[in-house]
Amino acid sequence: MVEVTEPGEHAGAEADAAFTRRRGCTLAVRTADCAPLVLVSESAIAVVHAGWRGLADGVIQATARAMGPIVEAHIGPHIRRGCYEFGAGDLDEVSSALGDHVRATTNWGTPALDLTEGVRRLLGGARLHDTGACTACTDLFFSWRARADQARFATLAWLD
């Protein structure tokens, strides 16, 4: 995670989250199947790349500690539980970190990960706005898992 204190700071840096308290700083995160988040606190805004590893490693909690309590969040298109087939070992790892509520089943009956529910639980009482879109179910979004797309889309946020 990085804090952006001036426009352009950390541009191109690899990080699962960036936040700012300063107007004029545009934040960006690139995703395909992972969940893009915009988190809003009373005095800051953040963008988060919320993949299963980042969620299990505490990226949302670390971002909230740095920027202050999250009051509102926006979650963009990402792979949904019905399409996110997940190996048993990795599913055990992420559910041991986040709880069994992230366990799901694909539309075809195999073990799956519910990224959306993992994010929802980690946000606690923050109001969550969800696009409801699945990257794997449509060609409108890039999906590595469904189509091996190399491209990513960007989620941008800034303070007015």
Side-chain angles (χ1 to χ4, degrees):
M1 176 186 45
V2 296
E3 180 177 6
V4 178
T5 60
E6 61 184 56
E9 182 179 26
H10 302 295
E14 284 195 34
D16 275 340
F19 78 98
T20 190
R21 289 183 176 83
R22 184 159 175 215
R23 298 186 189 294
C25 295
T26 301
L27 307 175
V29 64
R30 295 177 346 132
T31 57
D33 292 313
C34 295
L37 297 173
V38 175
L39 306 178
V40 181
S41 74
E42 292 295 329
S43 62
I45 195 162
V47 292
V48 179
H49 171 270
W52 73 271
R53 285 185 183 95
L55 288 179
D57 289 343
V59 67
I60 291 176
Q61 300 93 313
T63 305
R65 279 192 302 275
M67 67 185 285
I70 307 303
V71 296
E72 186 174 351
H74 302 265
I75 186 169
H78 60 281
I79 196 164
R80 301 294 173 141
R81 64 186 286 158
C83 295
Y84 200 3
E85 188 167 350
F86 219 74
D90 289 336
L91 191 54
D92 288 344
E93 179 183 335
V94 78
S95 68
S96 72
L98 299 176
D100 281 338
H101 57 270
V102 298
R103 292 181 182 274
T105 305
T106 63
N107 295 336
W108 50 93
T110 59
L113 175 65
D114 190 340
L115 274 179
T116 313
E117 187 59 25
V119 167
R120 184 181 318 282
R121 297 281 182 112
L122 290 171
L123 291 172
R127 187 174 57 207
L128 179 63
H129 305 275
D130 184 355
T131 64
C134 178
T135 54
C137 292
T138 177
D139 289 341
L140 291 175
F141 306 106
F142 303 118
S143 176
W144 171 253
R145 289 200 173 239
R147 294 175 296 282
D149 292 334
Q150 297 290 321
R152 302 293 180 260
F153 61 94
T155 300
L156 307 175
W158 60 90
L159 291 171
D160 271 339

